[in-house]
Amino acid sequence: MTDVIRVDPASPDLAALKPAADRLRTGGLVAFPTETVYGLGAHAMDAAAVRRVFEAKGRPANDPLIVHIPRIGSLDQLVSRVPDTARTLAAKFWPGPLTLVLPRAAGVPDEVTAGLGTVAVRMPSHPVARALLDLADVPVAAPSANLFSRPSPTRASHVLDDLKDRIDVLIDGGPTEVGIESTVLDLTGDTPTILRPGATTLEALRQVLPQTVVGSPVAPATGAPTSLPSPGMLHKHYSPRAPMTLYEGTGAVDAMVADARLARNRGQRIGILAADEDRRRLGAAGGVEGGPPLKIVTVGSSDDADAVAARLYGALRELDAAGVDLILVRGFPARGGIGLAIQDRLRRAAGNRIAT
Ligand code: TXA
Ligand code: MG
């Protein structure tokens, strides 16, 4: 049984959150909204509770978790040393969607870090997450609250679709604002290195630490990453049930229309993810009257990366649910900002099927 608690995302009722915080402290699994995506939380210092997270998600044990903390002081029990760079970044970006990889303290269970010498930590800014962490008063290990291989959940209904009756509590705080996960930044080496692009942009980080680099190639189209990426990023990430092709470059929409027409004439059901302004041109993808259904989901204007980020995962879930035979996705040019994270997630979802 999963208890669902509905709260006001801006000013949650603490009395309503208290039982969920108690469940967390005593080894339960509690899904909660953050500013990025919903997380599935467990007491980070309770190895048995953390193992339940992996079981509930079907997540491989070698993919480490992010520990969520209510205040900077909570770092002390998790990390062996706080580099100056971490203090500077925390002062500027916490609470917020930035995860710092730091040298791990001995007391952190191997289950959390997958046995690495480092631990990933972040202080979320969502009022519900903050209130829950405050009440629980323990560090909370929380991956995104989806089944392994599904898109991260941006609504409580997504969490239920994947994890109903596998978790103890779901706190429903409405849709999440950002829609794409936090940026994971490794501070254990000489150069601050982005292991996963995310909601805190490279540009913003460079304003504070100009030497910041993007570590692993952002979603290599082919071949293996050339430098050490975030362990979890080695796994094949979300990919839809139907084969998905990502169309990048200037001719993307025309190529999608042509491919969709051909496929529909072969009798295939097509799902399309595109920008609002593509809709009119995509009308031509319908081809012959009375052909198999064509599902088009739009995620905002390509000029509005924040809107695209917020709707992306929900759109991918919608296409999966439609049961189409092929999925065609328009690429969104990464003009900086959160565009880098959007491009990264779409390339990962498409695997090697990228048309340019
Ligand atoms: O926005 C977010 O970060 C969300 C919300 C719930 O906070 N969480 C999230 O967690 O996306 P998850 O488990 O889906 O992704 C965690 C990422 C993985 O890519 C993992 O490999 C990386 O963080 N990670 C965790 N610990 C690490 C470590 N010690 N060193 C390098 N990467 C680490
Ligand atoms: Mg995840």
Side-chain angles (χ1 to χ4, degrees), residues 10-305:
S11 64
D13 175 4
L14 298 187
L17 287 180
K18 180 76 171 49
D22 291 340
R23 293 290 272 277
L24 264 182
R25 226 192 349 266
T26 54
L29 300 190
V30 177
F32 60 95
T34 80
E35 67 279 19
T36 58
V37 301
Y38 274 76
L40 175 58
H43 188 330
M45 307 309 254
D46 179 341
V50 174
R51 280 196 295 273
R52 286 188 63 208
V53 170
F54 285 88
E55 272 161 39
K57 283 187 54 121
R59 176 176 174 120
N62 60 352
D63 189 356
L65 307 183
I66 296 171
V67 181
H68 296 62
I69 56 173
R71 65 192 77 87
I72 300 258
S74 321
L75 271 181
D76 298 339
Q77 60 184 305
L78 299 172
V79 311
S80 58
R81 184 176 58 84
V82 183
D84 290 342
T85 47
R87 295 218 183 275
T88 311
L89 290 173
K92 167 99 179 160
F93 294 106
W94 283 0
L98 176 64
T99 295
L100 301 178
V101 173
L102 298 167
R104 156 201 185 179
V108 181
D110 276 337
E111 282 79 356
V112 172
T113 66
L116 296 172
T118 56
V119 61
V121 188
R122 91 174 185 97
M123 188 195 297
S125 62
H126 194 296
V128 174
R130 296 194 73 185
L132 179 71
L133 291 168
D134 243 341
L135 288 168
D137 203 28
V138 294
V140 171
S144 49
N146 52 282
L147 281 175
F148 182 66
S149 85
R150 302 274 294 140
S152 292
T154 53
R155 296 173 174 274
S157 62
H158 298 158
V159 179
L160 281 182
D161 287 344
D162 283 13
L163 297 176
K164 190 170 182 330
D165 297 334
R166 291 168 172 251
I167 63 176
D168 300 306
V169 181
L170 163 62
I171 302 171
D172 179 351
T176 62
E177 200 180 317
V178 179
I180 282 197
E181 302 87 343
S182 66
T183 301
V184 178
L185 183 71
D186 185 355
L187 292 178
T188 60
D190 294 334
T191 309
T193 304
I194 293 179
L195 302 178
R196 176 179 75 179
T200 300
T201 66
L202 174 64
E203 295 85 349
L205 290 169
R206 281 189 173 158
Q207 278 180 10
V208 181
L209 298 180
Q211 67 275 36
T212 304
V213 297
V214 181
S216 54
V218 173
T222 53
T226 52
S227 62
L228 184 73
S230 220
M233 301 309 265
L234 285 173
H235 296 289
K236 189 159 168 44
H237 257 245
Y238 160 75
S239 37
R241 296 186 188 100
M244 164 178 158
T245 305
L246 178 63
Y247 292 76
E248 295 192 331
T250 46
V253 177
D254 291 335
M256 288 166 77
V257 169
D259 287 356
R261 287 180 69 108
L262 281 175
R264 288 191 78 233
N265 290 342
R266 287 196 303 266
Q268 290 182 297
R269 291 161 304 175
I270 306 299
I272 290 182
L273 187 152
D276 290 354
E277 61 271 22
D278 300 334
R279 224 178 231 291
R280 197 182 43 80
R281 274 198 291 161
L282 285 172
V288 287
E289 275 303 308
L294 172 76
K295 180 166 180 76
I296 301 177
V297 182
T298 56
V299 291
S301 161
S302 66
D303 292 329
D304 186 354

